[in-house]
Amino acid sequence: MRGKFITFEGGEGSGKSTQARLLAEHLRALGRTVIETREPGGSPFAERVRAFILDPTTPPHAPLSEALLFSAARADHVAGTIRPALAAGTWVVCDRFTDSTRVYQGAAGGLSSDVLDELERIVVGPTRPDLTFLLDLDPASGLGRAQRRAVATGAPTDAYEARDLAYHERLRRGFLDLARGSPGRLVVVDAGAAVHVIANQIRTHLAERLGAP
Ligand SMILES: Nc1ncnc2c1ncn2[C@@H]1O[C@H](COP(=O)(O)OP(=O)(O)OP(=O)(O)O)[C@@H](O)[C@H]1O
Ligand SMILES: [Mg+2]
């Protein structure tokens, strides 16, 4: 049987990576085979594209150029990692996916939804997420978390984190608009709660939407 495809979306520092890891651990404890992956990235080629896009010294470029780069990375990730895993019955938990492109390059970047629809048709085809968790958080809190994490780990700030608060507010609204448009797939979670509270809510939603894992 095909595995399930679950994605995590939301702004910077909203807890996507934390919750993706906890959900994958939970599913493994229930006996599922699970891979954790991320975008941009998730395959050797796509990770190289990730490094280039997120590098703050990469020269400014148009949202279309960016969407095409993300699509090049995504095509490799979907064909080489996600599709084979799902076909083998493995569950795939992915940290960001097409909704991030819709919001960063679309809602906030100004790229038309026709272009994004077409890219998604070509690159993703039928390999759409079964369920997506949107971690909704006030951007100031998210950026604060990301900055504290940067100080703690020594990791540099990426190109998106460095943008101003108004940009991050547009991202938040973009994600919430997407969720309103796809209530069957996108579940909005209050990401301001404690880590374990959010993890429990995600498990409950998962069981309600997809049945007992
Ligand atoms: N619910 C929470 N409450 C407080 N802190 C949290 C919560 N969830 C995660 N954090 C902390 O906030 C920071 C950002 O979390 P995480 O890396 O999971 O977010 P992210 O959405 O993946 O961020 P990015 O967009 O930068 O990839 C981490 O240091 C993490 O430990
Ligand atoms: Mg992350």
PDB file of all heavy atoms in Angstrom, residues 69-81:
ATOM      1  N   LEU A  69      14.207  27.620  -9.856  1.00  0.00           N
ATOM      2  CA  LEU A  69      15.257  26.902  -9.132  1.00  0.00           C
ATOM      3  C   LEU A  69      14.656  25.918  -8.130  1.00  0.00           C
ATOM      4  O   LEU A  69      15.078  24.769  -8.024  1.00  0.00           O
ATOM      5  CB  LEU A  69      16.152  27.890  -8.377  1.00  0.00           C
ATOM      6  CG  LEU A  69      17.312  28.489  -9.142  1.00  0.00           C
ATOM      7  CD1 LEU A  69      18.017  29.525  -8.267  1.00  0.00           C
ATOM      8  CD2 LEU A  69      18.297  27.394  -9.547  1.00  0.00           C
ATOM      9  N   PHE A  70      13.658  26.395  -7.383  1.00  0.00           N
ATOM     10  CA  PHE A  70      12.984  25.503  -6.431  1.00  0.00           C
ATOM     11  C   PHE A  70      12.364  24.321  -7.173  1.00  0.00           C
ATOM     12  O   PHE A  70      12.364  23.187  -6.677  1.00  0.00           O
ATOM     13  CB  PHE A  70      11.882  26.247  -5.666  1.00  0.00           C
ATOM     14  CG  PHE A  70      12.379  27.007  -4.476  1.00  0.00           C
ATOM     15  CD1 PHE A  70      12.268  28.385  -4.404  1.00  0.00           C
ATOM     16  CD2 PHE A  70      12.960  26.354  -3.399  1.00  0.00           C
ATOM     17  CE1 PHE A  70      12.728  29.097  -3.304  1.00  0.00           C
ATOM     18  CE2 PHE A  70      13.419  27.054  -2.287  1.00  0.00           C
ATOM     19  CZ  PHE A  70      13.304  28.428  -2.249  1.00  0.00           C
ATOM     20  N   SER A  71      11.826  24.608  -8.364  1.00  0.00           N
ATOM     21  CA  SER A  71      11.185  23.534  -9.130  1.00  0.00           C
ATOM     22  C   SER A  71      12.206  22.510  -9.616  1.00  0.00           C
ATOM     23  O   SER A  71      11.931  21.314  -9.622  1.00  0.00           O
ATOM     24  CB  SER A  71      10.420  24.120 -10.320  1.00  0.00           C
ATOM     25  OG  SER A  71       9.376  24.931  -9.842  1.00  0.00           O
ATOM     26  N   ALA A  72      13.390  23.007 -10.019  1.00  0.00           N
ATOM     27  CA  ALA A  72      14.455  22.082 -10.442  1.00  0.00           C
ATOM     28  C   ALA A  72      14.832  21.168  -9.276  1.00  0.00           C
ATOM     29  O   ALA A  72      14.976  19.951  -9.433  1.00  0.00           O
ATOM     30  CB  ALA A  72      15.670  22.879 -10.920  1.00  0.00           C
ATOM     31  N   ALA A  73      14.962  21.774  -8.105  1.00  0.00           N
ATOM     32  CA  ALA A  73      15.296  20.979  -6.913  1.00  0.00           C
ATOM     33  C   ALA A  73      14.165  20.005  -6.591  1.00  0.00           C
ATOM     34  O   ALA A  73      14.388  18.823  -6.312  1.00  0.00           O
ATOM     35  CB  ALA A  73      15.549  21.918  -5.733  1.00  0.00           C
ATOM     36  N   ARG A  74      12.936  20.512  -6.653  1.00  0.00           N
ATOM     37  CA  ARG A  74      11.769  19.692  -6.289  1.00  0.00           C
ATOM     38  C   ARG A  74      11.591  18.507  -7.243  1.00  0.00           C
ATOM     39  O   ARG A  74      11.237  17.406  -6.816  1.00  0.00           O
ATOM     40  CB  ARG A  74      10.507  20.562  -6.261  1.00  0.00           C
ATOM     41  CG  ARG A  74       9.240  19.820  -5.867  1.00  0.00           C
ATOM     42  CD  ARG A  74       8.112  20.782  -5.543  1.00  0.00           C
ATOM     43  NE  ARG A  74       8.478  21.602  -4.410  1.00  0.00           N
ATOM     44  CZ  ARG A  74       8.196  22.902  -4.281  1.00  0.00           C
ATOM     45  NH1 ARG A  74       7.486  23.509  -5.211  1.00  0.00           N
ATOM     46  NH2 ARG A  74       8.586  23.576  -3.227  1.00  0.00           N
ATOM     47  N   ALA A  75      11.833  18.741  -8.531  1.00  0.00           N
ATOM     48  CA  ALA A  75      11.671  17.652  -9.509  1.00  0.00           C
ATOM     49  C   ALA A  75      12.571  16.474  -9.132  1.00  0.00           C
ATOM     50  O   ALA A  75      12.161  15.305  -9.187  1.00  0.00           O
ATOM     51  CB  ALA A  75      12.002  18.155 -10.914  1.00  0.00           C
ATOM     52  N   ASP A  76      13.804  16.789  -8.743  1.00  0.00           N
ATOM     53  CA  ASP A  76      14.752  15.740  -8.367  1.00  0.00           C
ATOM     54  C   ASP A  76      14.339  15.075  -7.046  1.00  0.00           C
ATOM     55  O   ASP A  76      14.402  13.856  -6.901  1.00  0.00           O
ATOM     56  CB  ASP A  76      16.144  16.371  -8.226  1.00  0.00           C
ATOM     57  CG  ASP A  76      17.228  15.322  -8.129  1.00  0.00           C
ATOM     58  OD1 ASP A  76      17.444  14.616  -9.140  1.00  0.00           O
ATOM     59  OD2 ASP A  76      17.825  15.172  -7.042  1.00  0.00           O
ATOM     60  N   HIS A  77      13.889  15.895  -6.108  1.00  0.00           N
ATOM     61  CA  HIS A  77      13.475  15.391  -4.796  1.00  0.00           C
ATOM     62  C   HIS A  77      12.261  14.468  -4.918  1.00  0.00           C
ATOM     63  O   HIS A  77      12.210  13.386  -4.332  1.00  0.00           O
ATOM     64  CB  HIS A  77      13.168  16.607  -3.907  1.00  0.00           C
ATOM     65  CG  HIS A  77      12.773  16.296  -2.508  1.00  0.00           C
ATOM     66  ND1 HIS A  77      11.888  17.077  -1.813  1.00  0.00           N
ATOM     67  CD2 HIS A  77      13.124  15.293  -1.667  1.00  0.00           C
ATOM     68  CE1 HIS A  77      11.723  16.578  -0.599  1.00  0.00           C
ATOM     69  NE2 HIS A  77      12.460  15.490  -0.482  1.00  0.00           N
ATOM     70  N   VAL A  78      11.274  14.912  -5.719  1.00  0.00           N
ATOM     71  CA  VAL A  78      10.048  14.115  -5.874  1.00  0.00           C
ATOM     72  C   VAL A  78      10.360  12.800  -6.590  1.00  0.00           C
ATOM     73  O   VAL A  78       9.964  11.719  -6.140  1.00  0.00           O
ATOM     74  CB  VAL A  78       8.959  14.916  -6.642  1.00  0.00           C
ATOM     75  CG1 VAL A  78       7.800  14.017  -7.057  1.00  0.00           C
ATOM     76  CG2 VAL A  78       8.437  16.065  -5.774  1.00  0.00           C
ATOM     77  N   ALA A  79      11.093  12.904  -7.710  1.00  0.00           N
ATOM     78  CA  ALA A  79      11.341  11.696  -8.517  1.00  0.00           C
ATOM     79  C   ALA A  79      12.311  10.738  -7.829  1.00  0.00           C
ATOM     80  O   ALA A  79      12.143   9.521  -7.914  1.00  0.00           O
ATOM     81  CB  ALA A  79      11.892  12.106  -9.889  1.00  0.00           C
ATOM     82  N   GLY A  80      13.309  11.314  -7.143  1.00  0.00           N
ATOM     83  CA  GLY A  80      14.368  10.454  -6.600  1.00  0.00           C
ATOM     84  C   GLY A  80      14.129   9.993  -5.176  1.00  0.00           C
ATOM     85  O   GLY A  80      14.661   8.963  -4.753  1.00  0.00           O
ATOM     86  N   THR A  81      13.354  10.759  -4.411  1.00  0.00           N
ATOM     87  CA  THR A  81      13.203  10.458  -2.977  1.00  0.00           C
ATOM     88  C   THR A  81      11.743  10.162  -2.613  1.00  0.00           C
ATOM     89  O   THR A  81      11.428   9.093  -2.079  1.00  0.00           O
ATOM     90  CB  THR A  81      13.717  11.655  -2.122  1.00  0.00           C
ATOM     91  OG1 THR A  81      15.064  11.955  -2.505  1.00  0.00           O
ATOM     92  CG2 THR A  81      13.662  11.330  -0.635  1.00  0.00           C
TER      93      THR A  81
END
